[in-house]
Amino acid sequence: MIPSSLIPAINTLAVAPIWLETLLVTTFAIHLLLMNIALGGTVLVACHSLSGGSKISRDLSGKLPTILALVINAGVPPLLFVKAIYAQFNYTSSVLMAVYWLVAVVALLVGYYGLYWHYYRYESMKDGGRKGLIFMVLCILLYVGFMLSNNMTLMLRPDHWLAYFDNPNGLVLNLNDTALMPRYLHFMVSALAIGGLFVAILGKRKSDQDYVATGFKWFVWATVVNIGVGLWFLMVLPREIMLIFMGKDMLATSLLGIGLVGTVALIYAGMKQKVVLSSVLTVIMVYVMVVMRHLLRDAYLAPYFKVEDIPVTGQYSPFYLFLISLVIGIISIIYMLKLMCKSGRS
Ligand code: HEM
């Protein structure tokens, strides 16, 4: 069977795709930054719990429920944009792995509740219970991230959809894709770095050198490890796709160059324990990586589909309404966070 015959018919878009792509990339980077803090923060709390807990892990555990709520909320806009632009690919991959995908939603609810429980019952729980709980939450977050990587790579590989005919029960994963593991690990290791950076930022706010030193230790080591994971990821990409980063596409090649130089700068800023510089560089780097990932997706889908081919109906009014709601939503969230900080609950 020809895999492209499995791709459902193309949808129409209300507005020119460039708008949706820009919003996809912008909102996804926000989701990713927050996800990194939530996941990296959970790893830090879990690791510190092994050595009997610490001021840092107690403090961090109080922030994780709010951050996870923000991760989930910030995941919704990119989800909508992915579904709008890549509908025929992403709905199909979600159906192929439906069981794992739906379990992720339930698991996330349990994990969210678990974080609240961990914080509010911290004192009353036994040490073993506390450790068990935070490691359970960590496994859940790792599971959700893995399922997202599976979905986001399975949607790019209609040739892997043929697995459905041997396994029609919603249990198809993209495990035979050599790019899956390095891609997933690249995200997970960056979470360790950004979780560490978050601790360093807390340290700077509190003028606590212990926080800053611990945070930067995680930040620097994880970034060093991620150079290896990132190169592994690049090397296992299908040759034609890898070449877009090796001169075939000027934008992709330049971004890779900026990414490599930026990584060295990140390590330098981390070693010098410069909180503001590291934070600014990290945000820039996350955007660079997110745009690279977007170009990668287009390169994977190029044999089947081009975003420019989607018919546009030109109905802009719902889009304007969305933009207004987005701005109001962001202002409201910032206002609520400010109130929370003022009340001393952050
Ligand atoms: C805290 C749990 C979560 C973790 C650890 C997590 C992690 C990740 C990771 C690692 C990716 C990149 C996957 C890849 O490209 O290989 C990703 C992408 C994505 N996540 Fe999350 N995520 C979480 C929760 C959510 C939720 C609740 C939503 C939706 C409401 C969401 C929406 C998305 C979307 C739409 C993408 C792909 C965006 C794109 O392809 O441009 N995530 N997430």
Side-chain angles (χ1 to χ4, degrees):
M1 175 178 276
I2 305 166
S4 58
S5 66
L6 297 172
I7 303 171
I10 202 164
N11 246 325
T12 57
L13 283 180
V15 301
I18 185 70
W19 293 111
L20 304 184
E21 287 182 284
T22 307
L23 283 166
L24 168 59
V25 165
T26 315
T27 55
F28 176 56
I30 297 172
H31 167 66
L32 210 54
L33 279 164
L34 290 164
M35 179 284 275
N36 283 338
I37 299 175
L39 182 62
T42 309
V43 173
L44 257 108
V45 175
C47 287
H48 281 235
S49 78
L50 290 178
S51 51
S54 68
K55 195 170 53 145
I56 296 178
S57 69
R58 179 76 184 108
D59 192 9
L60 207 52
S61 102
K63 301 190 185 331
L64 291 177
T66 311
I67 297 167
L68 189 61
L70 293 173
V71 174
I72 296 170
N73 279 290
V76 177
L79 190 62
L80 298 181
F81 294 122
V82 166
K83 298 279 182 206
I85 309 171
Y86 304 100
Q88 66 274 44
F89 298 97
N90 190 257
Y91 279 108
T92 309
S93 55
S94 304
V95 170
L96 291 176
M97 56 175 290
V99 174
Y100 300 108
W101 194 234
L102 293 174
V103 167
V105 177
V106 180
L108 201 51
L109 289 175
V110 175
Y112 186 38
Y113 193 73
L115 283 180
Y116 269 110
W117 191 277
H118 183 264
Y119 179 59
Y120 286 107
R121 300 291 163 98
Y122 196 91
E123 263 80 39
S124 59
M125 261 193 298
K126 289 206 176 97
D127 187 45
R130 239 179 358 230
K131 281 183 194 153
L133 184 59
I134 197 69
F135 273 95
M136 182 199 76
V137 174
L138 177 58
C139 290
I140 287 176
L141 297 186
L142 292 173
Y143 172 82
V144 174
F146 189 57
M147 289 310 137
L148 276 149
S149 279
N150 263 282
N151 199 341
M152 295 304 143
T153 53
L154 189 57
M155 68 173 262
L156 307 177
R157 303 297 304 259
D159 51 324
H160 289 186
W161 297 357
L162 296 170
Y164 168 80
F165 296 102
D166 296 324
N167 181 357
N169 303 316
L171 291 167
V172 175
L173 286 178
N174 198 29
L175 300 178
N176 55 353
D177 187 335
T178 47
L180 174 69
M181 277 326 277
R183 177 177 175 140
Y184 170 64
L185 287 178
H186 197 44
F187 282 109
M188 297 301 108
V189 177
S190 73
L192 301 184
I194 297 184
L197 179 61
F198 183 67
V199 171
I201 294 171
L202 291 180
K204 187 175 164 73
R205 273 183 54 189
K206 290 171 184 287
S207 308
D208 187 322
Q209 190 49 33
D210 187 27
Y211 274 60
V212 175
T214 307
F216 274 121
K217 203 168 73 189
W218 283 85
F219 180 73
V220 171
W221 278 112
T223 307
V224 170
V225 171
N226 229 359
I227 298 177
V229 181
L231 289 175
W232 175 25
F233 181 26
L234 187 67
M235 294 304 154
V236 299
L237 290 175
R239 194 182 141 72
E240 270 309 295
I241 293 175
M242 184 181 72
L243 288 180
I244 68 163
F245 297 107
M246 302 284 173
K248 204 172 152 194
D249 179 306
M250 267 328 283
L251 178 59
T253 309
S254 313
L255 287 174
L256 180 64
I258 296 172
L260 290 174
V261 176
T263 309
V264 176
L266 278 181
I267 294 172
Y268 170 80
M271 285 169 66
K272 295 280 169 199
Q273 303 197 348
K274 294 194 179 302
V275 174
V276 178
L277 180 63
S278 306
S279 309
V280 173
L281 285 174
T282 298
V283 173
I284 294 172
M285 282 289 282
V286 167
Y287 272 95
V288 168
M289 295 288 152
V290 166
V291 176
M292 281 170 70
R293 177 177 169 278
H294 186 69
L295 297 175
L296 183 68
R297 169 160 49 204
D298 282 353
Y300 263 106
L301 292 179
Y304 311 104
F305 159 90
K306 285 196 173 42
V307 172
E308 306 83 81
D309 297 341
I310 311 177
V312 176
T313 57
Q315 293 162 302
Y316 275 80
S317 42
F319 178 66
Y320 295 140
L321 198 61
F322 169 81
L323 286 183
I324 295 170
S325 324
L326 184 69
V327 172
I328 296 176
I330 291 176
I331 294 173
S332 313
I333 290 175
I334 293 175
Y335 177 67
M336 283 189 284
L337 288 175
K338 272 195 172 157
L339 286 184
M340 203 175 100
C341 289
K342 251 195 210 161
S343 74
R345 294 197 51 210
S346 72

